[in-house]
Amino acid sequence: MHGLNTTRNRVIVRKITEDDLEVLWGYIYKDESPQWKQWDAPYFQHVRKSYDEYRQSFLNNVERNDEHQRIIEVDNKIIGTTSYYWEYEPTKWLEAGIVIYDPAYWNGGYGTEALTKWVDHLFETKDIGRVGITTWSGNERMMRAAEKVGMTLEGRMRKCRYYNGVYYDSIRMGMIREEWEQLKANG
């Protein structure tokens, strides 16, 4: 486990503004089959939206978006997003996620840095005992990023994700608050 001390300061994680929507739409919905989707749950159908639909959806849910999602930016360029959702809010079970849309920023540590900042934000602003991620065994970059920020493998559901004629495992990784606090203390 590498821990939180691997964080650099190349990445900014910030709130989404209306000015960001055209760039985000271009990454997420412009192409019928965007390259990033091959790694982000490709076994779920990607449904395109027009820019107007996307913009209106964002504007109708600004407060929720402010809370649940952020931009990942490098050198004033949007490269991805972070997010979280409640697996089960009454028990404070929260799952986080990141997507680096721009392939030029894959394998450069940007996702790990963004995930570190997002995990920090979630622990600092939420009364939660754990932050986790759910991915699939075909997304080795996500599993490595989660491990680098201090998450451990918590669950592997074997052969439950079927993609391009191959079975993959569903992977759950996570970190509890005490582990995060220890990593921060060791800085």
Side-chain angles (χ1 to χ4, degrees), residues 162-168:
Y162 190 72
Y163 176 60
N164 281 345
V166 177
Y167 282 103
Y168 293 90

Side-chain angles (χ1 to χ4, degrees), residues 23-111:
V23 172
L24 287 175
W25 175 82
Y27 278 136
I28 301 168
Y29 296 112
K30 184 177 180 181
D31 294 333
E32 188 171 317
S33 184
Q35 194 173 1
W36 62 267
K37 187 61 180 154
Q38 295 172 25
W39 307 105
D40 183 47
Y43 34 82
F44 293 134
Q45 183 181 8
H46 184 257
V47 179
R48 291 177 70 194
K49 289 183 182 180
S50 71
Y51 175 70
D52 289 338
E53 289 172 314
Y54 176 66
R55 182 178 175 279
Q56 195 57 54
S57 174
F58 178 86
L59 295 175
N60 289 344
N61 295 292
V62 169
E63 285 183 29
R64 184 183 188 290
N65 290 330
D66 275 354
E67 176 64 20
H68 289 263
Q69 195 172 30
R70 297 287 191 274
I71 288 283
I72 302 170
E73 191 174 74
V74 175
D75 296 329
N76 297 313
K77 178 180 172 39
I78 296 169
I79 66 164
T81 55
T82 62
S83 62
Y84 82 84
Y85 65 92
W86 291 106
E87 184 74 33
Y88 191 61
E89 191 171 4
T91 62
K92 302 179 183 182
W93 181 357
L94 181 144
E95 294 286 296
I98 63 167
V99 179
I100 304 295
Y101 300 115
D102 188 333
Y105 291 86
W106 293 351
N107 299 314
Y110 299 99

Side-chain angles (χ1 to χ4, degrees), residues 90-136:
T91 62
K92 302 179 183 182
W93 181 357
L94 181 144
E95 294 286 296
I98 63 167
V99 179
I100 304 295
Y101 300 115
D102 188 333
Y105 291 86
W106 293 351
N107 299 314
Y110 299 99
T112 300
E113 187 177 339
L115 184 59
T116 299
K117 290 180 177 187
W118 190 230
V119 168
D120 282 349
H121 169 77
L122 294 171
F123 275 126
E124 289 169 0
T125 62
K126 308 256 175 269
D127 179 24
I128 53 175
R130 172 190 175 277
V131 171
I133 61 109
T134 301
T135 190
W136 61 299

Side-chain angles (χ1 to χ4, degrees), residues 5-23:
N5 59 358
T6 61
T7 301
R8 302 179 204 166
N9 283 306
R10 304 173 298 169
V11 169
I12 293 171
V13 177
R14 64 167 176 81
K15 287 186 177 184
I16 300 170
T17 69
E18 191 173 347
D19 292 340
D20 300 321
L21 297 182
E22 194 168 342
V23 172

Side-chain angles (χ1 to χ4, degrees), residues 141-184:
R141 283 191 304 268
M142 185 67 222
M143 291 184 294
R144 275 194 312 271
E147 185 178 346
K148 286 177 183 177
V149 303
M151 292 187 181
T152 58
L153 180 66
E154 296 176 334
R156 176 183 293 268
M157 285 58 70
R158 297 174 298 161
K159 290 190 170 186
C160 63
R161 297 296 186 201
Y162 190 72
Y163 176 60
N164 281 345
V166 177
Y167 282 103
Y168 293 90
D169 300 343
S170 180
I171 304 294
R172 293 251 176 163
M173 297 179 75
M175 167 189 288
I176 60 173
R177 180 175 288 279
E178 293 82 359
E179 293 166 337
W180 173 75
E181 289 171 351
Q182 185 65 48
L183 288 170
K184 295 293 281 187

